[in-house]
PDB file of all heavy atoms in Angstrom:
ATOM      1  N   ALA H 662       3.101 -12.059  70.056  1.00 87.00           N
ATOM      2  CA  ALA H 662       4.454 -11.820  70.368  1.00 87.00           C
ATOM      3  C   ALA H 662       5.336 -13.008  70.022  1.00 87.00           C
ATOM      4  O   ALA H 662       6.480 -12.763  69.430  1.00 87.00           O
ATOM      5  CB  ALA H 662       4.588 -11.416  71.852  1.00 87.00           C
ATOM      6  N   ALA H 663       4.868 -14.142  70.319  1.00 87.00           N
ATOM      7  CA  ALA H 663       5.657 -15.373  70.034  1.00 87.00           C
ATOM      8  C   ALA H 663       5.821 -15.566  68.471  1.00 87.00           C
ATOM      9  O   ALA H 663       6.869 -15.973  68.021  1.00 87.00           O
ATOM     10  CB  ALA H 663       4.980 -16.626  70.655  1.00 87.00           C
ATOM     11  N   ARG H 664       4.701 -15.273  67.776  1.00 85.00           N
ATOM     12  CA  ARG H 664       4.750 -15.489  66.360  1.00 85.00           C
ATOM     13  C   ARG H 664       5.727 -14.433  65.705  1.00 85.00           C
ATOM     14  O   ARG H 664       6.475 -14.787  64.803  1.00 85.00           O
ATOM     15  CB  ARG H 664       3.318 -15.254  65.851  1.00 85.00           C
ATOM     16  CG  ARG H 664       3.113 -15.555  64.389  1.00 85.00           C
ATOM     17  CD  ARG H 664       3.017 -17.084  64.105  1.00 85.00           C
ATOM     18  NE  ARG H 664       2.870 -17.255  62.681  1.00 85.00           N
ATOM     19  CZ  ARG H 664       3.806 -17.767  61.885  1.00 85.00           C
ATOM     20  NH1 ARG H 664       4.918 -18.222  62.448  1.00 85.00           N
ATOM     21  NH2 ARG H 664       3.646 -17.929  60.621  1.00 85.00           N
ATOM     22  N   ARG H 665       5.675 -13.205  66.284  1.00 88.00           N
ATOM     23  CA  ARG H 665       6.602 -12.200  65.764  1.00 88.00           C
ATOM     24  C   ARG H 665       8.051 -12.606  65.967  1.00 88.00           C
ATOM     25  O   ARG H 665       8.865 -12.499  65.037  1.00 88.00           O
ATOM     26  CB  ARG H 665       6.350 -10.837  66.483  1.00 88.00           C
ATOM     27  CG  ARG H 665       5.278 -10.013  65.897  1.00 88.00           C
ATOM     28  CD  ARG H 665       5.436  -8.546  66.342  1.00 88.00           C
ATOM     29  NE  ARG H 665       5.404  -8.396  67.765  1.00 88.00           N
ATOM     30  CZ  ARG H 665       4.364  -8.103  68.510  1.00 88.00           C
ATOM     31  NH1 ARG H 665       3.171  -7.969  67.974  1.00 88.00           N
ATOM     32  NH2 ARG H 665       4.408  -7.976  69.810  1.00 88.00           N
ATOM     33  N   GLN H 666       8.300 -13.140  67.156  1.00 89.00           N
ATOM     34  CA  GLN H 666       9.617 -13.616  67.450  1.00 89.00           C
ATOM     35  C   GLN H 666      10.081 -14.716  66.530  1.00 89.00           C
ATOM     36  O   GLN H 666      11.275 -14.724  66.043  1.00 89.00           O
ATOM     37  CB  GLN H 666       9.650 -14.131  68.902  1.00 89.00           C
ATOM     38  CG  GLN H 666      11.010 -14.172  69.551  1.00 89.00           C
ATOM     39  CD  GLN H 666      11.687 -12.764  69.578  1.00 89.00           C
ATOM     40  OE1 GLN H 666      11.074 -11.818  69.921  1.00 89.00           O
ATOM     41  NE2 GLN H 666      12.946 -12.758  69.166  1.00 89.00           N
ATOM     42  N   GLN H 667       9.179 -15.614  66.232  1.00 87.00           N
ATOM     43  CA  GLN H 667       9.452 -16.759  65.345  1.00 87.00           C
ATOM     44  C   GLN H 667       9.859 -16.202  63.932  1.00 87.00           C
ATOM     45  O   GLN H 667      10.784 -16.641  63.310  1.00 87.00           O
ATOM     46  CB  GLN H 667       8.237 -17.607  65.273  1.00 87.00           C
ATOM     47  CG  GLN H 667       8.485 -18.899  64.474  1.00 87.00           C
ATOM     48  CD  GLN H 667       7.150 -19.675  64.300  1.00 87.00           C
ATOM     49  OE1 GLN H 667       6.088 -19.232  64.784  1.00 87.00           O
ATOM     50  NE2 GLN H 667       7.231 -20.764  63.577  1.00 87.00           N
ATOM     51  N   VAL H 668       9.045 -15.170  63.487  1.00 87.00           N
ATOM     52  CA  VAL H 668       9.303 -14.598  62.179  1.00 87.00           C
ATOM     53  C   VAL H 668      10.636 -13.891  62.139  1.00 87.00           C
ATOM     54  O   VAL H 668      11.379 -14.027  61.227  1.00 87.00           O
ATOM     55  CB  VAL H 668       8.119 -13.643  61.807  1.00 87.00           C
ATOM     56  CG1 VAL H 668       8.462 -12.845  60.567  1.00 87.00           C
ATOM     57  CG2 VAL H 668       6.824 -14.453  61.581  1.00 87.00           C
ATOM     58  N   LEU H 669      10.874 -13.185  63.170  1.00 90.00           N
ATOM     59  CA  LEU H 669      12.154 -12.433  63.285  1.00 90.00           C
ATOM     60  C   LEU H 669      13.393 -13.344  63.251  1.00 90.00           C
ATOM     61  O   LEU H 669      14.439 -12.918  62.738  1.00 90.00           O
ATOM     62  CB  LEU H 669      12.172 -11.529  64.565  1.00 90.00           C
ATOM     63  CG  LEU H 669      11.437 -10.264  64.578  1.00 90.00           C
ATOM     64  CD1 LEU H 669      11.234  -9.750  65.997  1.00 90.00           C
ATOM     65  CD2 LEU H 669      12.184  -9.187  63.737  1.00 90.00           C
TER      66      LEU H 669
END
Side-chain angles (χ1 to χ4, degrees):
Chain H
R664 186 78 181 111
R665 273 200 303 267
Q666 201 58 45
Q667 185 188 358
V668 169
L669 279 164

